[in-house]
Amino acid sequence: WIATNADGNATGFSPSGNGIINQTITNTSTTQNAIVVYTITPATATCIGIPFTFTVTVTPKPVIDPVTDKTICHSNSAGIVLTSNIPTRFIWTSDASSTDITGNTNGTGSTSLIGGKNSFTINESLLNNSFLPETVTYTIKSYSGDDCEGNETTVTITVDPAVTVANAGPDE
């Protein structure tokens, strides 16, 4: 057999060999598929068969761009903007620092192409029912359309408590 990679995005394959093909191909591109085409000629000790091709396509893994921790006010949106190198599905879990925080959930979402970037925003409205700042930590995993797992990122949202109106009582 003979193997070719016209796009130059693949490593880990041999250009030729015989017998079983058992190779781990890596895609070196963050945005394009790596395609390796094997031309296989079946043969026995006395007969040569008709060559055929077998194409292996390795999609790139999604990479979540860095996300910065931030502080928001009580009842504002988490507003976690996730961008990635390719169309991506995200799965996240969220962990509140206390039961005084509500509005956070575990969930999923997929990117849409916005301004040339694959983007998705976690827009949960977070409520802090205590008198101290509390946090919600989101752990976000990325997956390609073919369910190849990409990187994982963690972002912490600090939620300030609601502003209380002072009441000194009636004027005397």
Side-chain angles (χ1 to χ4, degrees), residues 79-99:
I80 302 169
V81 178
L82 303 170
T83 56
S84 62
N85 57 322
I86 61 172
T88 303
R89 181 173 55 91
F90 300 105
I91 298 176
W92 69 87
T93 58
S94 63
D95 184 36
S97 59
S98 84
T99 56

Side-chain angles (χ1 to χ4, degrees), residues 58-103:
V58 182
T59 59
K61 287 184 176 184
V63 176
I64 303 172
D65 293 333
V67 182
T68 305
D69 296 345
K70 66 180 176 177
T71 300
I72 63 171
C73 296
H74 166 81
S75 81
N76 282 3
S77 170
I80 302 169
V81 178
L82 303 170
T83 56
S84 62
N85 57 322
I86 61 172
T88 303
R89 181 173 55 91
F90 300 105
I91 298 176
W92 69 87
T93 58
S94 63
D95 184 36
S97 59
S98 84
T99 56
D100 289 322
I101 289 283
T102 59

Side-chain angles (χ1 to χ4, degrees), residues 117-137:
K117 280 293 253 182
N118 293 291
S119 183
F120 176 80
T121 303
I122 300 174
N123 274 325
E124 299 180 329
S125 181
L126 301 177
L127 307 175
N128 180 352
N129 298 308
S130 77
F131 296 103
L132 299 170
E134 300 284 353
T135 61
V136 178
T137 301

